[in-house]
Amino acid sequence: MPVCFCRGTRVRGESGSKMSAARRLLWASLVLCSCLIPALSVDRSNFKTCDQSSFCRRQRKLQPGSSPYRALLGSAELSGDRFSVKLIDDKNQVSLLLEVFGLDGNMTRIKINEINPLKPRYEVPDVLIEPPRPAELQVSGQDDNTLELSLGTTGHTLLVTGTPFRLDILAGQDLVLSVNSRGLLHFEHLRQRKDTDSEKHEVSPESEEPNAGEPETPKEEEEESKKAEEEEPGMWDETFKTHTDSKPNGPSSIGLDFSLPGFEHVYGIPEHADNLRLRTTESTDPYRLYNLDVFQYEIYNTMALYGSVPLLLAHNIHRTLGIFWLNAAETWVDISSNTAGKTLLGKMLQYMQGGGETPQTDVRWMSESGIIDVFLLLGPSPHDIFRQYASLTGTQSLPPYFSLGYHQCRWNYNDEEDVRNVDSGFDEHDLPYDVIWLDIEHADGKRYFTWDPHKFPTPQDMLSRLKDKRRKMVAIVDPHIKIDNNYRIHNEIRSRNFFVKTKDGSDYEGWCWPGSAAYPDFTNPEMRDWWSSMFAYDQYEGSMENLFVWNDMNEPSVFNGPEVTMHKDAVHWGGWEHRDIHNIYGLYVQKATAQGLIQRSGGKERPFVLTRAFFAGSQRYGAVWTGDNAAEWDHLKISVPMCLSLSLVGISFCGADVGGFFKNPEPELLVRWYQAGAYQPFFRAHAHLDTPRREPWLHGEANMLIIKEALRQRYALLPFWYTLFYRALRKGEPVMRPLWVEYPSDVTTFAMDDQYLLGTALLVHPVTESNARGVQIYLPGDKEVWYDVHTYQRYQAPQSFYLPVTSSSIPVYQRGGTIIPQKNRPRRSSDCMQDDPFTLYVALDLQGEARGELYLDDGHTFNYEQNEFLYRGFTYSQGELTSSSLEPQGVFKTPSWIERIIILGVTKPTSVTLRLPGLSETQLEFEYDANTLALTVRKPGMNIAADFTVSLR
């Protein structure tokens, strides 16, 4: 949550009486400087372009052509699931080792590393949840320059071409994907710097004289070329603005290209404020993956933001593919369009069906350090990709039920009285909410794990009052620690030697909210264990079981560091440089915090932790938000593709700050943002310190009533949301998903990101235009029907139409063939709804059928892992609605019952009866609306956990 800049430094005033006069003077000058210059948008000069990043510049300078690498097929070895072969670079004679691993579930892993590196190169730990299950490889063919491997039992084969080196994966005779087909593999080996001056002194004048003035031999030219290469700017040190990055082992970057014949649409690699479908980058910078604290980011560009997930998906009407580039260093991704015919060489022609040219997308990955470690996810369906990626990095954690409700946040609620008044305001205006948040001002001088003794003197009393109303609080705990000898947290981390080090071995220091700060080394598992222990109730003074945590600034943000982050030559646990681990740092912070919340309850309670920085696997630890957005219509609009991109790479628990963090939203924008946020997984309003207050009742009665309706729609659907998150936990399915996931052959949906699906049942098209009088709706599906959830109007699909809207409109459609459980009684919080009755919304398809699910547990513990849950299935067919258990081993008692069943698209029955096992039939009361073809069955009365049959005759 940055505020303003002064020569790369952003500050808030330091509180407390212990600040020296010199430091007070420094603070005053910084504050004056920073506040004289209004910050209206991102200062691009604070962040590198590809051309300013020396390794990106070097990698991108290479042009497609014949690869300098050869695979020495005579060195090939095959053992079970592992195939290896040596690669040699004909330019510098450096040898590499290529390993190909067969993986169960239609996946392949490719690793390339130096055979004898000067020192070990970083391989990313802790992201894969377990060693991938192997699948046996077999040699199925070979000639002088090609070796053919069979990849398990899926019908895929891998062709290894020796000269020039390339890999091709085929499904039957169809080319699916090629590796290094454009010859852009580039692996910079670690080396010691040559002392060119001393080399010159070693050559005597006599030995030079006979050749004086003579032309250089080819060998001499090659040596001179190598020397020039060694001294190219940025190879051994690199300066950006006032910061110099030392590179003691020289350049270490890696790059590799992938060609995707037949694909025109690619997605993923968040986080970027851009459309869902990734753009080509031939004439722009590549997409950058480098976790950064970007001040008031711009939209529709390829600049890096707060998090990075190096997973790219490609989709066409025939199949979906995934490329998971497991590397935590700064990474750039170039995307270009080509045609398959231009890269099909030699033997590959015999594997292609037909002639002509096929659309093709080429993707080039470039990382500053580490090794090439890439997983090829071969689908072939979108859901196969989700399953494959989840098998590697895990699924979205099951959130506590309350966290799916509405969150009220601000930088900052001033004190305990302010919190009490805001909390009371929701009750006075009959508005539901679950969580109130505290930003950095709640702590004593930005010393995390503390409370300001004047503003928050009795935190447990405050938390107890919220608990009495069955509400929660979230407080911020950031990973920069104020350097203060009177601060226990700082002293303990220092005494344990757990801070990140400089290249010279001292504790790394930078500027952040508290002023001078040190940074815990979360890559160290002992540091993470210690951090987790600090959330114990006897360590985190004033905390209670209804206090949860927000990790901000964990990119890490360093106000006076290069690109507002940590120096790359800082040193972490194990001797690794920060350049190696940068993008995974935020994951480790959230992981340690989540573990701390679990431990404080003795392993019983589920955590809730929100993070700004993230990496592959972050879905296992909590929620993510899209950072410091602005109160602008385009920022509301971009929140949809940003969350869709995150959902595609496993992070389902995503949302954007409702109303925009920066600037002041006009009432119309604020209302529309509440309406959109109510249908995004993480639903939180948040605002900058300098903005006027935005609580929902401060914008006029009419606007408050519209916001209230949006909140109530959210709360009514909480059972549906919770069930979707259970499916995300068990199956890796995204909660919020693009239309093409469910309609993979409908090309109309491939670039669509202004509407989306929740699960398979709800289609949402938020209104994101100012003064909108209508929106264009597209309802997909061949011979399907959709129902407006507000009017029950039925629409035949596929069709596109213009829908007039008013200020209260939230266009949402239920898919025919689905059943959605809701709870429609307004309450102050989700916990108060725990025992409330359900309404089942049954939307029939053209065959008069429908299916749905409901997952229930206690909403907050891990007891579901001991089968304390209900997972019910509802089916409507041939005039009968039945309920049965989808997982009979699950047992959970609840008093909740079914108070209403609404069936859409049905003809009027003469009677409706209920049958329970072992009991006689009971006649039920019903109403029928002939205009909407909607049948309402009132108070059938059975417990939601019961098996039953409701029959229409």
Side-chain angles (χ1 to χ4, degrees):
M1 62 199 87
V3 194
C4 36
F5 282 93
C6 180
R7 297 181 183 174
T9 302
R10 294 171 291 174
V11 297
R12 293 185 193 173
E14 180 174 332
S15 61
S17 60
K18 298 183 181 185
M19 183 166 54
S20 68
R23 182 166 288 184
R24 283 197 299 270
L25 183 60
L26 172 62
W27 274 111
S29 65
L30 287 170
V31 171
L32 177 62
C33 174
S34 62
C35 294
L36 284 176
I37 305 171
L40 300 177
S41 63
V42 63
D43 184 349
R44 286 175 175 263
S45 69
N46 285 307
F47 305 101
K48 290 182 180 179
T49 63
C50 177
D51 194 55
Q52 292 170 316
S53 178
S54 67
F55 86 87
C56 184
R57 184 175 66 247
R58 289 194 305 275
Q59 289 273 353
R60 217 180 187 201
K61 185 171 64 176
L62 301 173
Q63 294 301 309
S66 181
S67 176
Y69 288 90
R70 289 183 290 121
L72 306 180
L73 298 184
S75 68
E77 295 181 1
L78 178 62
S79 176
D81 66 310
R82 177 183 177 271
F83 168 82
S84 66
V85 66
K86 290 182 180 179
L87 305 179
I88 189 165
D89 184 345
D90 283 335
K91 287 186 176 179
N92 58 23
Q93 301 304 302
V94 172
S95 296
L96 305 174
L97 181 67
L98 164 71
E99 296 175 287
V100 177
F101 297 87
L103 302 181
D104 185 43
N106 211 16
M107 298 182 289
T108 300
R109 185 179 193 178
I110 297 171
K111 297 178 76 171
I112 302 177
N113 197 358
E114 295 185 58
I115 292 179
N116 295 302
L118 189 64
K119 67 175 187 177
R121 297 177 69 112
Y122 189 71
E123 299 187 41
V124 178
D126 300 317
V127 167
L128 303 182
I129 55 174
E130 60 185 6
R133 296 188 304 274
E136 188 171 344
L137 301 173
Q138 292 183 338
V139 175
S140 51
Q142 187 170 5
D143 62 21
D144 290 342
N145 195 42
T146 309
L147 189 148
E148 182 177 290
L149 292 173
S150 173
L151 302 177
T153 61
T154 62
H156 287 82
T157 55
L158 173 70
L159 298 183
V160 183
T161 300
T163 306
F165 164 67
R166 63 180 281 165
L167 303 173
D168 297 281
I169 292 181
L170 297 94
Q173 292 190 344
D174 293 332
L175 178 62
V176 173
L177 176 149
S178 297
V179 180
N180 200 40
S181 63
R182 296 195 295 154
L184 296 173
L185 168 61
H186 187 57
F187 200 112
E188 296 181 329
H189 62 286
L190 303 179
R191 66 200 84 172
Q192 292 180 342
R193 192 170 192 175
K194 296 178 181 179
D195 188 340
T196 53
D197 290 334
S198 63
E199 285 177 357
K200 288 177 182 176
H201 290 305
E202 287 171 5
V203 180
S204 66
E206 290 81 9
S207 64
E208 284 187 335
E209 205 168 280
N211 296 319
E214 293 183 10
E216 294 179 335
T217 66
K219 186 174 181 180
E220 289 171 332
E221 288 178 357
E222 185 178 333
E223 289 300 318
E224 287 300 317
S225 175
K226 286 183 180 179
K227 284 182 182 178
E229 247 180 50
E230 293 284 316
E231 296 306 317
E232 184 177 329
M235 300 275 281
W236 298 92
D237 52 58
E238 183 173 0
T239 299
F240 179 69
K241 293 193 149 183
T242 61
H243 302 284
T244 297
D245 172 29
S246 64
K247 303 177 184 180
N249 295 118
S252 59
S253 74
I254 55 175
L256 187 61
D257 65 277
F258 301 81
S259 295
L260 306 172
F263 289 91
E264 296 182 87
H265 294 80
V266 290
Y267 314 89
I269 57 169
E271 184 178 36
H272 301 94
D274 207 353
N275 290 319
L276 175 65
R277 180 193 179 187
L278 301 175
R279 65 180 69 195
T280 57
T281 58
E282 292 105 329
S283 58
T284 68
D285 260 6
Y287 283 96
R288 191 183 189 198
L289 296 175
Y290 192 58
N291 296 3
L292 292 172
D293 179 357
V294 182
F295 176 76
Q296 197 164 327
Y297 57 84
E298 292 180 3
I299 60 176
Y300 302 114
N301 63 46
T302 60
M303 289 179 66
L305 288 180
Y306 312 98
S308 303
V309 181
L311 172 64
L312 179 139
L313 285 74
H315 178 73
N316 64 23
I317 61 173
H318 302 296
R319 69 175 65 245
T320 310
L321 298 176
I323 301 173
F324 175 37
W325 180 267
L326 184 52
N327 190 294
E330 178 186 351
T331 297
W332 299 76
V333 185
D334 239 338
I335 299 171
S336 58
S337 294
N338 208 324
T339 56
K342 293 181 181 178
T343 60
L344 299 176
L345 305 173
K347 183 173 179 175
M348 284 308 305
L349 290 173
Q350 65 181 296
Y351 291 94
M352 295 302 296
Q353 294 179 330
E357 294 186 340
T358 304
Q360 176 168 303
T361 296
D362 298 309
V363 182
R364 179 183 187 180
W365 298 77
M366 302 166 283
S367 294
E368 184 178 15
S369 64
I371 70 166
I372 292 175
D373 187 1
V374 59
F375 293 81
L376 304 179
L377 316 181
L378 301 178
S381 74
H383 285 276
D384 288 329
I385 296 293
F386 303 143
R387 174 181 51 79
Q388 290 159 358
Y389 181 67
S391 74
L392 299 174
T393 68
T395 60
Q396 177 70 57
S397 59
L398 183 63
Y401 197 87
F402 78 83
S403 63
L404 300 179
Y406 172 64
H407 300 248
Q408 182 67 38
C409 184
R410 178 175 180 80
W411 172 28
N412 203 85
Y413 286 117
N414 300 327
D415 48 34
E416 291 181 11
E417 182 66 21
D418 197 7
V419 170
R420 184 185 295 109
N421 291 337
V422 171
D423 175 69
S424 298
F426 278 87
D427 295 331
E428 292 167 10
H429 296 92
D430 196 22
L431 298 166
Y433 93 101
D434 265 83
V435 193
I436 191 165
W437 291 52
L438 294 180
D439 210 319
I440 60 176
E441 312 300 339
H442 84 279
D444 182 8
K446 287 84 175 176
R447 298 171 182 87
Y448 304 109
F449 297 100
T450 71
W451 302 85
D452 185 301
H454 305 291
K455 297 179 179 179
F456 296 92
T458 57
Q460 286 192 335
D461 290 346
M462 174 179 62
L463 288 165
S464 294
R465 287 191 295 270
L466 291 170
K467 184 180 179 181
D468 290 343
K469 293 185 177 182
R470 301 168 80 170
R471 288 174 174 149
K472 315 293 190 291
M473 173 172 278
V474 168
I476 201 166
V477 179
D478 284 352
H480 48 261
I481 301 302
K482 180 179 177 64
I483 296 175
D484 180 351
N485 292 334
N486 295 314
Y487 179 23
R488 178 176 67 93
I489 298 296
H490 168 263
N491 292 342
E492 290 201 28
I493 297 176
R494 184 178 60 184
S495 69
R496 288 171 166 80
N497 202 29
F498 283 163
F499 283 121
V500 177
K501 306 300 179 185
T502 67
K503 63 181 179 180
D504 301 317
S506 59
D507 286 349
Y508 180 90
E509 295 184 15
W511 285 90
C512 208
W513 295 134
S516 187
Y519 291 77
D521 185 1
F522 285 91
T523 68
N524 184 341
E526 292 185 13
M527 167 60 212
R528 296 198 299 271
D529 288 344
W530 178 86
W531 181 267
S532 298
S533 72
M534 289 299 100
F535 291 94
Y537 299 124
D538 61 350
Q539 295 292 328
Y540 189 172
E541 184 181 353
S543 66
M544 289 177 53
E545 65 272 16
N546 64 331
L547 179 67
F548 297 86
V549 180
W550 169 21
N551 292 146
D552 196 3
M553 319 298 287
N554 54 338
E555 293 74 30
S557 179
V558 183
F559 291 165
N560 61 337
E563 299 193 270
V564 202
T565 192
M566 189 170 285
H567 292 73
K568 287 183 174 180
D569 55 10
V571 180
H572 291 263
W573 176 72
W576 300 109
E577 288 188 302
H578 187 71
R579 79 179 77 254
D580 299 312
I581 65 91
H582 176 83
N583 284 346
I584 202 173
Y585 184 86
L587 176 148
Y588 279 133
V589 176
Q590 188 186 23
K591 177 181 181 179
T593 302
Q595 187 59 40
L597 296 187
I598 295 170
Q599 287 177 191
R600 74 180 184 181
S601 68
K604 296 178 181 179
E605 297 289 329
R606 280 177 252 164
F608 172 75
V609 182
L610 179 72
T611 183
R612 190 169 72 174
F614 53 85
F615 190 64
S618 287
Q619 66 269 14
R620 306 195 299 263
Y621 307 114
V624 166
W625 95 106
T626 62
D628 298 337
N629 58 2
E632 298 174 353
W633 286 95
D634 280 347
H635 275 261
L636 166 58
K637 188 181 302 183
I638 207 70
S639 70
V640 175
M642 289 182 76
C643 278
L644 288 174
S645 294
L646 284 164
S647 296
L648 287 176
V649 300
I651 300 178
S652 275
F653 206 178
C654 167
D657 283 345
V658 168
F661 178 68
F662 290 106
K663 302 185 178 180
N664 305 319
E666 60 200 77
E668 182 194 9
L669 173 58
L670 184 64
V671 166
R672 289 301 191 196
W673 214 315
Y674 268 98
Q675 293 171 335
Y679 286 90
Q680 292 180 0
F682 178 57
F683 185 22
R684 179 185 78 155
H686 186 37
H688 188 279
L689 182 72
D690 295 330
T691 62
R693 298 296 283 258
R694 296 190 197 158
E695 285 74 41
W697 53 87
L698 298 178
H699 309 280
E701 181 74 12
N703 289 321
M704 188 197 71
L705 291 176
I706 297 173
I707 292 172
K708 178 186 291 188
E709 176 57 27
L711 292 173
R712 288 187 171 176
Q713 288 184 37
R714 171 61 170 224
Y715 275 80
L717 282 168
L718 286 183
F720 174 67
W721 282 105
Y722 199 54
T723 301
L724 293 181
F725 271 94
Y726 180 70
R727 290 188 63 90
L729 170 74
R730 294 299 189 207
K731 300 178 180 295
E733 297 176 353
V735 169
M736 176 181 178
R737 60 192 71 165
L739 270 62
W740 62 260
V741 167
E742 297 302 323
Y743 298 91
S745 61
D746 185 349
V747 296
T748 305
T749 67
F750 288 4
M752 191 172 288
D753 59 14
D754 58 350
Q755 59 182 54
Y756 56 90
L757 293 170
L758 297 178
T760 62
L762 285 183
L763 184 149
V764 183
H765 191 307
V767 180
T768 58
E769 299 282 351
S770 176
N771 299 313
R773 296 294 176 262
V775 293
Q776 196 70 25
I777 303 289
Y778 178 69
L779 299 178
D782 186 26
K783 297 180 181 178
E784 288 196 26
V785 291
W786 295 82
Y787 300 86
D788 185 310
V789 299
H790 308 296
T791 66
Y792 302 157
Q793 182 176 347
R794 178 170 136 162
Y795 295 85
Q796 186 89 26
Q799 71 162 300
S800 181
F801 62 93
Y802 179 82
L803 177 74
V805 297
T806 66
S807 60
S808 60
S809 298
I810 311 178
V812 181
Y813 299 86
Q814 183 173 348
R815 186 180 185 179
T818 65
I819 300 174
I820 295 178
Q822 295 191 32
K823 287 190 174 184
N824 292 327
R825 296 189 180 183
R827 302 288 189 184
R828 66 156 60 104
S829 71
S830 64
D831 199 31
C832 297
M833 302 169 65
Q834 184 175 12
D835 297 334
D836 281 355
F838 287 89
T839 296
L840 299 181
Y841 289 82
V842 182
L844 301 185
D845 61 17
L846 290 177
Q847 290 73 44
E849 297 183 345
R851 283 179 171 77
E853 300 172 356
L854 173 65
Y855 174 79
L856 279 180
D857 60 19
D858 62 23
H860 60 93
T861 74
F862 287 103
N863 290 351
Y864 68 89
E865 295 179 347
Q866 282 72 52
N867 294 327
E868 293 185 22
F869 67 87
L870 289 176
Y871 192 27
R872 305 296 300 177
F874 307 104
T875 301
Y876 186 95
S877 181
Q878 297 181 347
E880 289 191 340
L881 173 66
T882 60
S883 173
S884 60
S885 178
L886 294 175
E887 295 184 17
Q889 76 275 17
V891 178
F892 179 71
K893 292 184 179 180
T894 174
S896 293
W897 52 286
I898 299 176
E899 68 173 346
R900 190 179 296 109
I901 300 171
I902 298 175
I903 305 176
L904 306 178
V906 68
T907 56
K908 183 178 181 180
T910 57
S911 66
V912 179
T913 60
L914 168 65
R915 185 170 66 253
L916 296 171
L919 299 175
S920 59
E921 288 189 352
T922 303
Q923 295 290 323
L924 300 177
E925 295 181 0
F926 65 91
E927 297 175 359
Y928 185 76
D929 187 331
N931 293 322
T932 59
L933 305 181
L935 175 75
T936 300
V937 181
R938 299 192 179 279
K939 296 185 178 180
M942 55 285 200
N943 188 280
I944 193 66
D947 292 347
F948 65 80
T949 300
V950 173
S951 300
L952 277 61
R953 298 188 178 93

